[in-house]
Amino acid sequence: MLNILLVDDDPDLRFALCGLLRGEGHVVEMAADGEAAAAFLDASPFHLVVSDVQLPKLNGMTLLHRIRRDFPSTEVLLMTGHGSVGDAVTAMKDGAVDYLIKPVGIDRLVRLVNRIDERRRLRDEHELESVRTIAGESGVG
């Protein structure tokens, strides 16, 4: 289960994707613009931010850069209705996990989110095992 922040200024899409992701078992908060998303991020941690690129008040690329700087363990998945290959390459180089063109393919989105969830779960298990190994070696326990 992931804690997801979904950011899109289109309320129909925002609510539809929220319902889809909650149906997959994730906890989802929603924001309609970049400033609201930034406030959510400052208030609580998220595993994943799914954000439109074209947002009022603070665009998705600026939000991506802020997340990479301030919340490096938070994954970012960007979506846009006006993308190009160059935009996607830039977003990925800047740290986005993927870049989806709207209309977003539901199956692809679910696969991506599930893959992010699995990767996070495996990383958490690995970190826990490392702590156990270190604690066992040091006699702590």
Side-chain angles (χ1 to χ4, degrees), residues 63-97:
L63 186 61
L64 168 66
H65 294 144
R66 180 165 184 253
I67 293 167
R68 293 281 50 87
R69 183 191 70 216
D70 296 343
F71 309 100
S73 65
T74 299
E75 302 274 9
V76 180
L77 177 59
L78 292 176
M79 315 176 288
T80 188
H82 310 285
S84 69
V85 172
D87 293 338
V89 169
T90 299
M92 301 287 279
K93 283 183 178 179
D94 289 352
V97 69

PDB file of all heavy atoms in Angstrom, residues 63-97:
ATOM      1  N   LEU A  63       7.263  21.395  -9.199  1.00  0.00           N
ATOM      2  CA  LEU A  63       6.920  20.504  -8.089  1.00  0.00           C
ATOM      3  C   LEU A  63       7.887  19.318  -8.058  1.00  0.00           C
ATOM      4  O   LEU A  63       8.377  18.933  -6.992  1.00  0.00           O
ATOM      5  CB  LEU A  63       5.472  20.041  -8.226  1.00  0.00           C
ATOM      6  CG  LEU A  63       4.891  19.228  -7.080  1.00  0.00           C
ATOM      7  CD1 LEU A  63       4.886  20.025  -5.778  1.00  0.00           C
ATOM      8  CD2 LEU A  63       3.476  18.769  -7.429  1.00  0.00           C
ATOM      9  N   LEU A  64       8.176  18.723  -9.217  1.00  0.00           N
ATOM     10  CA  LEU A  64       9.139  17.624  -9.305  1.00  0.00           C
ATOM     11  C   LEU A  64      10.490  18.036  -8.724  1.00  0.00           C
ATOM     12  O   LEU A  64      11.073  17.311  -7.912  1.00  0.00           O
ATOM     13  CB  LEU A  64       9.312  17.178 -10.765  1.00  0.00           C
ATOM     14  CG  LEU A  64      10.481  16.230 -11.054  1.00  0.00           C
ATOM     15  CD1 LEU A  64      10.283  14.888 -10.375  1.00  0.00           C
ATOM     16  CD2 LEU A  64      10.665  16.061 -12.568  1.00  0.00           C
ATOM     17  N   HIS A  65      10.992  19.192  -9.120  1.00  0.00           N
ATOM     18  CA  HIS A  65      12.297  19.652  -8.622  1.00  0.00           C
ATOM     19  C   HIS A  65      12.272  19.849  -7.109  1.00  0.00           C
ATOM     20  O   HIS A  65      13.238  19.500  -6.418  1.00  0.00           O
ATOM     21  CB  HIS A  65      12.704  20.948  -9.324  1.00  0.00           C
ATOM     22  CG  HIS A  65      12.944  20.747 -10.774  1.00  0.00           C
ATOM     23  ND1 HIS A  65      12.619  21.689 -11.715  1.00  0.00           N
ATOM     24  CD2 HIS A  65      13.457  19.692 -11.479  1.00  0.00           C
ATOM     25  CE1 HIS A  65      12.930  21.235 -12.916  1.00  0.00           C
ATOM     26  NE2 HIS A  65      13.433  20.030 -12.793  1.00  0.00           N
ATOM     27  N   ARG A  66      11.181  20.381  -6.592  1.00  0.00           N
ATOM     28  CA  ARG A  66      11.069  20.576  -5.142  1.00  0.00           C
ATOM     29  C   ARG A  66      11.033  19.233  -4.410  1.00  0.00           C
ATOM     30  O   ARG A  66      11.669  19.061  -3.373  1.00  0.00           O
ATOM     31  CB  ARG A  66       9.810  21.380  -4.809  1.00  0.00           C
ATOM     32  CG  ARG A  66       9.662  21.609  -3.324  1.00  0.00           C
ATOM     33  CD  ARG A  66       8.636  22.685  -3.019  1.00  0.00           C
ATOM     34  NE  ARG A  66       8.642  22.884  -1.580  1.00  0.00           N
ATOM     35  CZ  ARG A  66       7.679  22.467  -0.776  1.00  0.00           C
ATOM     36  NH1 ARG A  66       6.622  21.852  -1.256  1.00  0.00           N
ATOM     37  NH2 ARG A  66       7.751  22.674   0.516  1.00  0.00           N
ATOM     38  N   ILE A  67      10.299  18.281  -4.953  1.00  0.00           N
ATOM     39  CA  ILE A  67      10.221  16.958  -4.328  1.00  0.00           C
ATOM     40  C   ILE A  67      11.593  16.292  -4.351  1.00  0.00           C
ATOM     41  O   ILE A  67      12.025  15.719  -3.345  1.00  0.00           O
ATOM     42  CB  ILE A  67       9.155  16.078  -5.027  1.00  0.00           C
ATOM     43  CG1 ILE A  67       7.757  16.659  -4.764  1.00  0.00           C
ATOM     44  CG2 ILE A  67       9.251  14.633  -4.565  1.00  0.00           C
ATOM     45  CD1 ILE A  67       6.672  16.063  -5.649  1.00  0.00           C
ATOM     46  N   ARG A  68      12.291  16.351  -5.468  1.00  0.00           N
ATOM     47  CA  ARG A  68      13.617  15.730  -5.554  1.00  0.00           C
ATOM     48  C   ARG A  68      14.564  16.360  -4.520  1.00  0.00           C
ATOM     49  O   ARG A  68      15.363  15.668  -3.916  1.00  0.00           O
ATOM     50  CB  ARG A  68      14.222  15.880  -6.956  1.00  0.00           C
ATOM     51  CG  ARG A  68      13.497  15.109  -8.025  1.00  0.00           C
ATOM     52  CD  ARG A  68      13.797  13.597  -8.116  1.00  0.00           C
ATOM     53  NE  ARG A  68      13.739  12.817  -6.928  1.00  0.00           N
ATOM     54  CZ  ARG A  68      12.640  12.229  -6.406  1.00  0.00           C
ATOM     55  NH1 ARG A  68      11.478  12.344  -6.998  1.00  0.00           N
ATOM     56  NH2 ARG A  68      12.688  11.527  -5.311  1.00  0.00           N
ATOM     57  N   ARG A  69      14.450  17.671  -4.317  1.00  0.00           N
ATOM     58  CA  ARG A  69      15.318  18.377  -3.374  1.00  0.00           C
ATOM     59  C   ARG A  69      14.933  18.089  -1.915  1.00  0.00           C
ATOM     60  O   ARG A  69      15.801  17.783  -1.094  1.00  0.00           O
ATOM     61  CB  ARG A  69      15.236  19.884  -3.641  1.00  0.00           C
ATOM     62  CG  ARG A  69      16.174  20.719  -2.746  1.00  0.00           C
ATOM     63  CD  ARG A  69      15.871  22.204  -2.841  1.00  0.00           C
ATOM     64  NE  ARG A  69      14.591  22.475  -2.193  1.00  0.00           N
ATOM     65  CZ  ARG A  69      13.711  23.385  -2.622  1.00  0.00           C
ATOM     66  NH1 ARG A  69      13.947  24.101  -3.690  1.00  0.00           N
ATOM     67  NH2 ARG A  69      12.589  23.575  -1.961  1.00  0.00           N
ATOM     68  N   ASP A  70      13.636  18.179  -1.602  1.00  0.00           N
ATOM     69  CA  ASP A  70      13.198  18.134  -0.202  1.00  0.00           C
ATOM     70  C   ASP A  70      12.727  16.763   0.267  1.00  0.00           C
ATOM     71  O   ASP A  70      12.725  16.495   1.473  1.00  0.00           O
ATOM     72  CB  ASP A  70      12.051  19.135   0.013  1.00  0.00           C
ATOM     73  CG  ASP A  70      12.483  20.573  -0.217  1.00  0.00           C
ATOM     74  OD1 ASP A  70      13.701  20.854  -0.224  1.00  0.00           O
ATOM     75  OD2 ASP A  70      11.595  21.433  -0.402  1.00  0.00           O
ATOM     76  N   PHE A  71      12.292  15.911  -0.653  1.00  0.00           N
ATOM     77  CA  PHE A  71      11.739  14.602  -0.290  1.00  0.00           C
ATOM     78  C   PHE A  71      12.299  13.537  -1.233  1.00  0.00           C
ATOM     79  O   PHE A  71      11.569  12.962  -2.045  1.00  0.00           O
ATOM     80  CB  PHE A  71      10.200  14.629  -0.371  1.00  0.00           C
ATOM     81  CG  PHE A  71       9.591  15.782   0.374  1.00  0.00           C
ATOM     82  CD1 PHE A  71       9.169  16.924  -0.296  1.00  0.00           C
ATOM     83  CD2 PHE A  71       9.453  15.736   1.749  1.00  0.00           C
ATOM     84  CE1 PHE A  71       8.618  18.000   0.385  1.00  0.00           C
ATOM     85  CE2 PHE A  71       8.897  16.804   2.450  1.00  0.00           C
ATOM     86  CZ  PHE A  71       8.485  17.939   1.761  1.00  0.00           C
ATOM     87  N   PRO A  72      13.601  13.271  -1.165  1.00  0.00           N
ATOM     88  CA  PRO A  72      14.243  12.408  -2.163  1.00  0.00           C
ATOM     89  C   PRO A  72      13.715  10.980  -2.227  1.00  0.00           C
ATOM     90  O   PRO A  72      13.862  10.317  -3.257  1.00  0.00           O
ATOM     91  CB  PRO A  72      15.720  12.438  -1.766  1.00  0.00           C
ATOM     92  CG  PRO A  72      15.757  12.937  -0.371  1.00  0.00           C
ATOM     93  CD  PRO A  72      14.538  13.781  -0.174  1.00  0.00           C
ATOM     94  N   SER A  73      13.069  10.492  -1.178  1.00  0.00           N
ATOM     95  CA  SER A  73      12.546   9.125  -1.233  1.00  0.00           C
ATOM     96  C   SER A  73      11.141   9.061  -1.846  1.00  0.00           C
ATOM     97  O   SER A  73      10.624   7.973  -2.088  1.00  0.00           O
ATOM     98  CB  SER A  73      12.538   8.490   0.162  1.00  0.00           C
ATOM     99  OG  SER A  73      11.638   9.170   1.004  1.00  0.00           O
ATOM    100  N   THR A  74      10.530  10.205  -2.117  1.00  0.00           N
ATOM    101  CA  THR A  74       9.210  10.243  -2.743  1.00  0.00           C
ATOM    102  C   THR A  74       9.356  10.106  -4.257  1.00  0.00           C
ATOM    103  O   THR A  74      10.096  10.852  -4.885  1.00  0.00           O
ATOM    104  CB  THR A  74       8.482  11.564  -2.407  1.00  0.00           C
ATOM    105  OG1 THR A  74       8.320  11.653  -1.000  1.00  0.00           O
ATOM    106  CG2 THR A  74       7.124  11.635  -3.082  1.00  0.00           C
ATOM    107  N   GLU A  75       8.662   9.129  -4.816  1.00  0.00           N
ATOM    108  CA  GLU A  75       8.660   8.925  -6.270  1.00  0.00           C
ATOM    109  C   GLU A  75       7.690   9.911  -6.909  1.00  0.00           C
ATOM    110  O   GLU A  75       6.687  10.291  -6.285  1.00  0.00           O
ATOM    111  CB  GLU A  75       8.214   7.498  -6.605  1.00  0.00           C
ATOM    112  CG  GLU A  75       9.064   6.426  -5.989  1.00  0.00           C
ATOM    113  CD  GLU A  75      10.285   6.067  -6.803  1.00  0.00           C
ATOM    114  OE1 GLU A  75      10.591   6.778  -7.795  1.00  0.00           O
ATOM    115  OE2 GLU A  75      10.928   5.083  -6.454  1.00  0.00           O
ATOM    116  N   VAL A  76       7.964  10.310  -8.154  1.00  0.00           N
ATOM    117  CA  VAL A  76       7.102  11.238  -8.879  1.00  0.00           C
ATOM    118  C   VAL A  76       6.783  10.657 -10.251  1.00  0.00           C
ATOM    119  O   VAL A  76       7.681  10.271 -10.997  1.00  0.00           O
ATOM    120  CB  VAL A  76       7.761  12.622  -9.042  1.00  0.00           C
ATOM    121  CG1 VAL A  76       6.837  13.566  -9.813  1.00  0.00           C
ATOM    122  CG2 VAL A  76       8.133  13.201  -7.691  1.00  0.00           C
ATOM    123  N   LEU A  77       5.499  10.608 -10.549  1.00  0.00           N
ATOM    124  CA  LEU A  77       4.996  10.156 -11.837  1.00  0.00           C
ATOM    125  C   LEU A  77       4.258  11.338 -12.449  1.00  0.00           C
ATOM    126  O   LEU A  77       3.299  11.836 -11.858  1.00  0.00           O
ATOM    127  CB  LEU A  77       4.053   8.968 -11.618  1.00  0.00           C
ATOM    128  CG  LEU A  77       3.346   8.361 -12.804  1.00  0.00           C
ATOM    129  CD1 LEU A  77       4.340   7.851 -13.836  1.00  0.00           C
ATOM    130  CD2 LEU A  77       2.458   7.228 -12.331  1.00  0.00           C
ATOM    131  N   LEU A  78       4.730  11.825 -13.603  1.00  0.00           N
ATOM    132  CA  LEU A  78       4.123  12.994 -14.230  1.00  0.00           C
ATOM    133  C   LEU A  78       3.195  12.582 -15.369  1.00  0.00           C
ATOM    134  O   LEU A  78       3.427  11.581 -16.050  1.00  0.00           O
ATOM    135  CB  LEU A  78       5.204  13.928 -14.772  1.00  0.00           C
ATOM    136  CG  LEU A  78       6.064  14.616 -13.719  1.00  0.00           C
ATOM    137  CD1 LEU A  78       7.168  15.437 -14.387  1.00  0.00           C
ATOM    138  CD2 LEU A  78       5.230  15.498 -12.811  1.00  0.00           C
ATOM    139  N   MET A  79       2.145  13.396 -15.560  1.00  0.00           N
ATOM    140  CA  MET A  79       1.173  13.192 -16.641  1.00  0.00           C
ATOM    141  C   MET A  79       0.967  14.526 -17.350  1.00  0.00           C
ATOM    142  O   MET A  79       1.046  15.569 -16.716  1.00  0.00           O
ATOM    143  CB  MET A  79      -0.198  12.778 -16.104  1.00  0.00           C
ATOM    144  CG  MET A  79      -0.231  11.741 -15.062  1.00  0.00           C
ATOM    145  SD  MET A  79      -1.930  11.450 -14.468  1.00  0.00           S
ATOM    146  CE  MET A  79      -2.266  12.929 -13.508  1.00  0.00           C
ATOM    147  N   THR A  80       0.701  14.451 -18.645  1.00  0.00           N
ATOM    148  CA  THR A  80       0.379  15.671 -19.368  1.00  0.00           C
ATOM    149  C   THR A  80      -0.451  15.377 -20.604  1.00  0.00           C
ATOM    150  O   THR A  80      -0.355  14.290 -21.166  1.00  0.00           O
ATOM    151  CB  THR A  80       1.651  16.442 -19.777  1.00  0.00           C
ATOM    152  OG1 THR A  80       1.280  17.701 -20.319  1.00  0.00           O
ATOM    153  CG2 THR A  80       2.465  15.664 -20.795  1.00  0.00           C
ATOM    154  N   GLY A  81      -1.230  16.337 -20.977  1.00  0.00           N
ATOM    155  CA  GLY A  81      -1.983  16.256 -22.225  1.00  0.00           C
ATOM    156  C   GLY A  81      -1.267  16.961 -23.349  1.00  0.00           C
ATOM    157  O   GLY A  81      -1.723  16.957 -24.481  1.00  0.00           O
ATOM    158  N   HIS A  82      -0.128  17.590 -23.045  1.00  0.00           N
ATOM    159  CA  HIS A  82       0.573  18.410 -24.040  1.00  0.00           C
ATOM    160  C   HIS A  82       2.051  18.062 -24.088  1.00  0.00           C
ATOM    161  O   HIS A  82       2.889  18.938 -24.223  1.00  0.00           O
ATOM    162  CB  HIS A  82       0.423  19.893 -23.704  1.00  0.00           C
ATOM    163  CG  HIS A  82      -0.990  20.303 -23.442  1.00  0.00           C
ATOM    164  ND1 HIS A  82      -1.916  20.449 -24.446  1.00  0.00           N
ATOM    165  CD2 HIS A  82      -1.658  20.548 -22.295  1.00  0.00           C
ATOM    166  CE1 HIS A  82      -3.082  20.790 -23.921  1.00  0.00           C
ATOM    167  NE2 HIS A  82      -2.955  20.858 -22.616  1.00  0.00           N
ATOM    168  N   GLY A  83       2.379  16.795 -23.968  1.00  0.00           N
ATOM    169  CA  GLY A  83       3.775  16.401 -23.857  1.00  0.00           C
ATOM    170  C   GLY A  83       4.445  16.136 -25.180  1.00  0.00           C
ATOM    171  O   GLY A  83       3.805  15.969 -26.212  1.00  0.00           O
ATOM    172  N   SER A  84       5.757  16.097 -25.102  1.00  0.00           N
ATOM    173  CA  SER A  84       6.580  15.724 -26.244  1.00  0.00           C
ATOM    174  C   SER A  84       7.639  14.759 -25.738  1.00  0.00           C
ATOM    175  O   SER A  84       7.841  14.609 -24.529  1.00  0.00           O
ATOM    176  CB  SER A  84       7.249  16.964 -26.840  1.00  0.00           C
ATOM    177  OG  SER A  84       8.221  17.473 -25.938  1.00  0.00           O
ATOM    178  N   VAL A  85       8.328  14.130 -26.665  1.00  0.00           N
ATOM    179  CA  VAL A  85       9.398  13.216 -26.278  1.00  0.00           C
ATOM    180  C   VAL A  85      10.469  13.978 -25.508  1.00  0.00           C
ATOM    181  O   VAL A  85      10.985  13.496 -24.496  1.00  0.00           O
ATOM    182  CB  VAL A  85       9.994  12.519 -27.527  1.00  0.00           C
ATOM    183  CG1 VAL A  85      11.228  11.720 -27.165  1.00  0.00           C
ATOM    184  CG2 VAL A  85       8.952  11.631 -28.177  1.00  0.00           C
ATOM    185  N   GLY A  86      10.776  15.189 -25.935  1.00  0.00           N
ATOM    186  CA  GLY A  86      11.777  16.000 -25.239  1.00  0.00           C
ATOM    187  C   GLY A  86      11.372  16.313 -23.811  1.00  0.00           C
ATOM    188  O   GLY A  86      12.204  16.255 -22.899  1.00  0.00           O
ATOM    189  N   ASP A  87      10.093  16.619 -23.603  1.00  0.00           N
ATOM    190  CA  ASP A  87       9.603  16.890 -22.251  1.00  0.00           C
ATOM    191  C   ASP A  87       9.735  15.646 -21.376  1.00  0.00           C
ATOM    192  O   ASP A  87      10.120  15.732 -20.212  1.00  0.00           O
ATOM    193  CB  ASP A  87       8.133  17.323 -22.280  1.00  0.00           C
ATOM    194  CG  ASP A  87       7.918  18.659 -22.955  1.00  0.00           C
ATOM    195  OD1 ASP A  87       8.876  19.459 -23.043  1.00  0.00           O
ATOM    196  OD2 ASP A  87       6.776  18.904 -23.398  1.00  0.00           O
ATOM    197  N   ALA A  88       9.402  14.503 -21.944  1.00  0.00           N
ATOM    198  CA  ALA A  88       9.486  13.251 -21.187  1.00  0.00           C
ATOM    199  C   ALA A  88      10.928  12.945 -20.805  1.00  0.00           C
ATOM    200  O   ALA A  88      11.207  12.561 -19.666  1.00  0.00           O
ATOM    201  CB  ALA A  88       8.900  12.099 -22.000  1.00  0.00           C
ATOM    202  N   VAL A  89      11.843  13.124 -21.735  1.00  0.00           N
ATOM    203  CA  VAL A  89      13.256  12.875 -21.451  1.00  0.00           C
ATOM    204  C   VAL A  89      13.741  13.807 -20.352  1.00  0.00           C
ATOM    205  O   VAL A  89      14.422  13.377 -19.408  1.00  0.00           O
ATOM    206  CB  VAL A  89      14.107  13.032 -22.737  1.00  0.00           C
ATOM    207  CG1 VAL A  89      15.592  13.035 -22.419  1.00  0.00           C
ATOM    208  CG2 VAL A  89      13.767  11.925 -23.728  1.00  0.00           C
ATOM    209  N   THR A  90      13.379  15.075 -20.436  1.00  0.00           N
ATOM    210  CA  THR A  90      13.775  16.041 -19.400  1.00  0.00           C
ATOM    211  C   THR A  90      13.228  15.636 -18.041  1.00  0.00           C
ATOM    212  O   THR A  90      13.948  15.649 -17.045  1.00  0.00           O
ATOM    213  CB  THR A  90      13.290  17.456 -19.771  1.00  0.00           C
ATOM    214  OG1 THR A  90      13.904  17.839 -21.005  1.00  0.00           O
ATOM    215  CG2 THR A  90      13.633  18.462 -18.689  1.00  0.00           C
ATOM    216  N   ALA A  91      11.946  15.267 -17.991  1.00  0.00           N
ATOM    217  CA  ALA A  91      11.327  14.874 -16.724  1.00  0.00           C
ATOM    218  C   ALA A  91      12.026  13.662 -16.121  1.00  0.00           C
ATOM    219  O   ALA A  91      12.281  13.614 -14.911  1.00  0.00           O
ATOM    220  CB  ALA A  91       9.843  14.586 -16.929  1.00  0.00           C
ATOM    221  N   MET A  92      12.341  12.684 -16.953  1.00  0.00           N
ATOM    222  CA  MET A  92      13.006  11.475 -16.459  1.00  0.00           C
ATOM    223  C   MET A  92      14.425  11.801 -15.974  1.00  0.00           C
ATOM    224  O   MET A  92      14.849  11.312 -14.934  1.00  0.00           O
ATOM    225  CB  MET A  92      13.044  10.408 -17.553  1.00  0.00           C
ATOM    226  CG  MET A  92      11.671  10.015 -18.065  1.00  0.00           C
ATOM    227  SD  MET A  92      10.716   9.032 -16.953  1.00  0.00           S
ATOM    228  CE  MET A  92      11.417   7.446 -17.276  1.00  0.00           C
ATOM    229  N   LYS A  93      15.146  12.633 -16.709  1.00  0.00           N
ATOM    230  CA  LYS A  93      16.490  13.038 -16.276  1.00  0.00           C
ATOM    231  C   LYS A  93      16.427  13.805 -14.964  1.00  0.00           C
ATOM    232  O   LYS A  93      17.344  13.729 -14.148  1.00  0.00           O
ATOM    233  CB  LYS A  93      17.165  13.899 -17.344  1.00  0.00           C
ATOM    234  CG  LYS A  93      17.689  13.107 -18.506  1.00  0.00           C
ATOM    235  CD  LYS A  93      18.410  14.006 -19.482  1.00  0.00           C
ATOM    236  CE  LYS A  93      18.982  13.217 -20.639  1.00  0.00           C
ATOM    237  NZ  LYS A  93      19.659  14.097 -21.602  1.00  0.00           N
ATOM    238  N   ASP A  94      15.335  14.545 -14.762  1.00  0.00           N
ATOM    239  CA  ASP A  94      15.173  15.336 -13.547  1.00  0.00           C
ATOM    240  C   ASP A  94      14.637  14.519 -12.377  1.00  0.00           C
ATOM    241  O   ASP A  94      14.436  15.049 -11.293  1.00  0.00           O
ATOM    242  CB  ASP A  94      14.262  16.543 -13.802  1.00  0.00           C
ATOM    243  CG  ASP A  94      14.932  17.603 -14.671  1.00  0.00           C
ATOM    244  OD1 ASP A  94      16.147  17.486 -14.956  1.00  0.00           O
ATOM    245  OD2 ASP A  94      14.248  18.555 -15.071  1.00  0.00           O
ATOM    246  N   GLY A  95      14.367  13.229 -12.601  1.00  0.00           N
ATOM    247  CA  GLY A  95      14.014  12.360 -11.492  1.00  0.00           C
ATOM    248  C   GLY A  95      12.612  11.792 -11.472  1.00  0.00           C
ATOM    249  O   GLY A  95      12.246  11.093 -10.523  1.00  0.00           O
ATOM    250  N   ALA A  96      11.803  12.052 -12.506  1.00  0.00           N
ATOM    251  CA  ALA A  96      10.474  11.440 -12.552  1.00  0.00           C
ATOM    252  C   ALA A  96      10.633   9.945 -12.846  1.00  0.00           C
ATOM    253  O   ALA A  96      11.505   9.548 -13.617  1.00  0.00           O
ATOM    254  CB  ALA A  96       9.610  12.090 -13.629  1.00  0.00           C
ATOM    255  N   VAL A  97       9.793   9.136 -12.230  1.00  0.00           N
ATOM    256  CA  VAL A  97       9.845   7.693 -12.462  1.00  0.00           C
ATOM    257  C   VAL A  97       9.252   7.347 -13.828  1.00  0.00           C
ATOM    258  O   VAL A  97       9.652   6.380 -14.456  1.00  0.00           O
ATOM    259  CB  VAL A  97       9.174   6.922 -11.313  1.00  0.00           C
ATOM    260  CG1 VAL A  97       7.684   7.143 -11.289  1.00  0.00           C
ATOM    261  CG2 VAL A  97       9.495   5.457 -11.363  1.00  0.00           C
TER     262      VAL A  97
END
